Structures are given as C-alpha cells and as structure tokens.
C-alpha cells in the first residue's frame, strides 16, 4: 500500500508499507520516499503485515497491522 504525501493532488513523497518478516530482513515496515530524488527514510519498523497506509485529512499517517489481533498506528 502507498499513501501520497502531503496529498494526492500534489505529492512530494510516497509513504510505503513493506510486508516483511522481521526475522528475515532488517528493513523498516514503513518508509518515506522522496518522489523527486528517490531518497528513502525509515519511519517505523517491527510490523509484519503492514496494510493499509492512509494519509488523513488532518495531515497524519495511519498504518494498519493485519497480523494476529491487528492494530492501527497513527504517525504524527
């Protein structure tokens, strides 16, 4: 899943959820990608089934964890 930041109309960044097994890879679960340069910044790690990612109307990012009981995380 990909969220466009700061909005879909004029994005400067993409926020990407990586569905990875943390025992097999040390990559971040949520990353910020600069659309102009391709530079990647790690935002959050430790998730296994990261889906979805949404940019809220108030400017935060919400990501979901589908594994086990599930959870939502809001990134400010």
């Amino acid at each position: 899943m990909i969220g466009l930041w700061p909005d879909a109309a004029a994005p400067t960044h993409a926020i990407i959820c990586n569905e990875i097994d943390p025992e097999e890879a040390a990559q971040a679960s949520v990353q910020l990608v600069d659309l102009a340069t391709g530079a990647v910044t790690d935002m959050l790690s430790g998730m296994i089934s990261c889906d979805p990612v949404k940019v809220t109307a108030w400017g935060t990012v919400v990501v979901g964890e589908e594994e086990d009981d599930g959870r939502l995380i809001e990134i400010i």
Side-chain angles (χ1 to χ4, degrees):
M1 298 296 298
I2 298 173
L4 299 176
W5 179 264
D7 58 50
T12 59
H13 293 78
I15 300 169
I16 300 173
C17 266
N18 291 321
E19 292 193 350
I20 59 171
D21 183 345
E23 294 180 14
E24 294 179 12
Q27 297 178 7
S29 301
V30 181
Q31 295 179 313
L32 179 71
V33 179
D34 186 313
L35 296 176
T37 67
V40 177
T41 303
D42 295 342
M43 296 178 69
L44 182 67
S45 61
M47 298 174 74
I48 296 170
S49 293
C50 182
D51 184 27
V53 57
K54 298 287 183 184
V55 177
T56 67
W58 49 93
T60 63
V61 177
V62 176
V63 294
E65 172 67 90
E66 298 175 318
E67 195 69 24
D68 299 323
D69 294 334
R71 59 188 165 155
L72 287 175
I73 300 168
E74 186 172 21
I75 303 170
I76 299 175

